[in-house]
Amino acid sequence: MKGLASVISMEFRKILAYRSDFWVTFIGQTLIQLIVARSLWQSIFESNQVESMQGFDLNMITLYYLLVPIGTRILAGQNIGFLSREIYDGTFTRYLIYPVNVFVYKSTTYLTHSLFYCFQLFFIYLIYQIIFGGMTFHPEQLFLGVLIFFVASICYMFLCMMVELIALWADNVWTLMVMLKFFVTFFGGGIIPMDFFPLWSQKILALTPFPYLISLPVKTMMGLMPLNESITGIGVLIVWSCIFLGMLQLLWSKGQKSYTGVGI
Amino acid sequence: MRYLTLYKYFLRFSFTKAMEFRLDFFFRIVMDIIYYAVNILFFHVIYLHTPMLAGWTQDQMIIFIAGYLLCDALNMTIFSNNVWWLPQFINRGDLDYYLIRPVSPLFFLSLREFAANSFVNLFVAIGFFIYALTQYQTPFEWYQLTFYLLMLFNGVLLQFCIQLLFVLPTFWIQSQRGLLDFFYAISFAGERPDRIYKGIVRILFTYVVPLSLIASYPARLFMDPFDSWTLIQFIGITIVFWGIVLTIWKKGLRSYSSASS
């Protein structure tokens, strides 16, 4: 336990090592996404001469696009290549001598990043309050939303680990991870709220983990989800996490026999 | 002529390298196709809820999407990989190897890696562009299409210049990525029609960081009555940006200490 606390502390220091990079990227990405999304939806509302669509007015859609980028960061945790890069260059071998299981270590570092980005959510709320104001603050929604995001990041982490482990057979899996990101972002409601998708596609997507990864926590934070649906969503995420964990174990048991530790 | 011969070697080397990692080559093609699909689906979903967006109908929007996907494919094929590595070369001091060669270092560093997989996707983008033209309801003249293609190519060069302007600060800031991540975040603005932006945001994306000039304005030039003055302005802006890039590049080289950080 003490060892894991050291890992968490070390990861926090790493995140903050390049502070200017970090803040420029964070503020830049968030602001740009906000400006583009608000401009786009303002144009759509004006074209249709309406004040709300699918239950979203302009301020709500703005908040949605403020929460999505940071939510995606919470999900993505340590970002692409956190396992595959080390398998590829052979440094994965060092985990054999670490006094902790490689997956426990990697999960801790991944979730430390997720946790850090959870704190950034408060900045997002702050930015929103400063720019647009008037939003009613509901701490219970915020707490539940963050909790769902954290559970979602565990689920997504297992999914990512599965894809990253393919590096035991293939040279480079960076592209697979990018594809996964595209799928999760689009089908999870990260590019456009899922309420705008055709009903038939919403029904199909409900059978996949995607809507529970982004759309559910964001809408919970915005107060657009009934409490029972949010709780059910957490249950669904836990079920998907168990499925992915089982598949991950299967993949690892086969894959470790292929690992040569030679590197590039 | 010497540079053309050199570029021929770049192409040969890039294709050989790509063929060594065939699975990755295949994955990269699929990845780009998914990126195209996501962009097309995004606008498709929006048009389920509105007949017009930024004054464009869906078939007009498809022309715009096809334009920027074509720009993206060209940029990814010719420049993107090279710009990706440039800040790391500056930061690690690897630029030395390029400065001592008897060719322009900017030419070498900008064009040395040709993305073979993106070249395959360029054909996909061309295919979608042709599809978009067949779906376009309004009759058009060939000269309009020629100018549209010319403007898109100008857009690719402008995009390259803007991208470099986000990378070149690496000479002065201690960062392995320059402001490249910020560029990727901001370039997203160019993937939307310019008419959605108003006020200061419109000025920002038209004059300061002219991302709207990459694909959106060229699409307008194709669909609206032809205006030669706008065409000249587009090319002029690209030349100005290239001049700024060269100036900063030269200043950057003077500040370059070679030592890695």
Side-chain angles (χ1 to χ4, degrees), chain A residues 77-94:
Chain A
Q78 212 177 353
N79 225 335
I80 292 172
F82 68 100
L83 268 177
S84 60
R85 204 179 301 123
E86 290 176 334
I87 294 171
Y88 181 59
D89 64 24
T91 51
F92 192 71
T93 312
R94 66 183 162 165

Side-chain angles (χ1 to χ4, degrees), chain B residues 54-115:
Chain B
W56 281 341
T57 57
Q58 191 165 8
D59 63 315
Q60 287 175 315
M61 188 60 77
I62 290 174
I63 290 282
F64 162 68
I65 302 165
Y68 87 67
L69 290 183
L70 194 61
C71 281
D72 179 76
L74 279 167
N75 181 265
M76 293 295 286
T77 307
I78 305 167
F79 301 118
S80 198
N81 277 1
N82 300 298
V83 179
W84 173 271
W85 288 109
L86 185 55
Q88 292 187 44
F89 287 156
I90 298 170
N91 191 255
R92 292 194 308 226
D94 292 345
L95 205 60
D96 300 1
Y97 304 113
Y98 300 92
L99 295 177
I100 54 167
R101 290 177 192 186
V103 285
S104 155
L106 192 55
F107 168 83
F108 203 105
L109 288 160
S110 305
L111 297 170
R112 69 187 182 93
E113 203 171 311
F114 182 89

Side-chain angles (χ1 to χ4, degrees), chain A residues 160-233:
Chain A
C160 287
M161 280 179 169
M162 279 166 55
V163 180
E164 295 262 341
L165 276 188
I166 296 174
L168 291 165
W169 294 277
D171 288 318
N172 197 341
V173 295
W174 175 82
T175 43
L176 289 179
M177 289 298 293
V178 175
M179 282 187 245
L180 178 67
K181 199 175 169 184
F182 282 157
F183 277 118
V184 170
T185 314
F186 187 76
F187 294 118
I191 297 179
I192 190 164
M194 296 195 65
D195 306 70
F196 288 86
F197 284 26
L199 209 57
W200 61 266
S201 65
Q202 288 185 41
K203 283 179 185 166
I204 294 171
L205 287 171
L207 303 171
T208 70
F210 300 130
Y212 305 96
L213 296 173
I214 299 176
S215 187
L216 174 76
V218 169
K219 284 174 75 179
T220 300
M221 288 176 78
M222 293 174 67
L224 295 173
M225 267 308 184
L227 183 67
N228 61 333
E229 282 187 38
S230 297
I231 304 288
T232 311

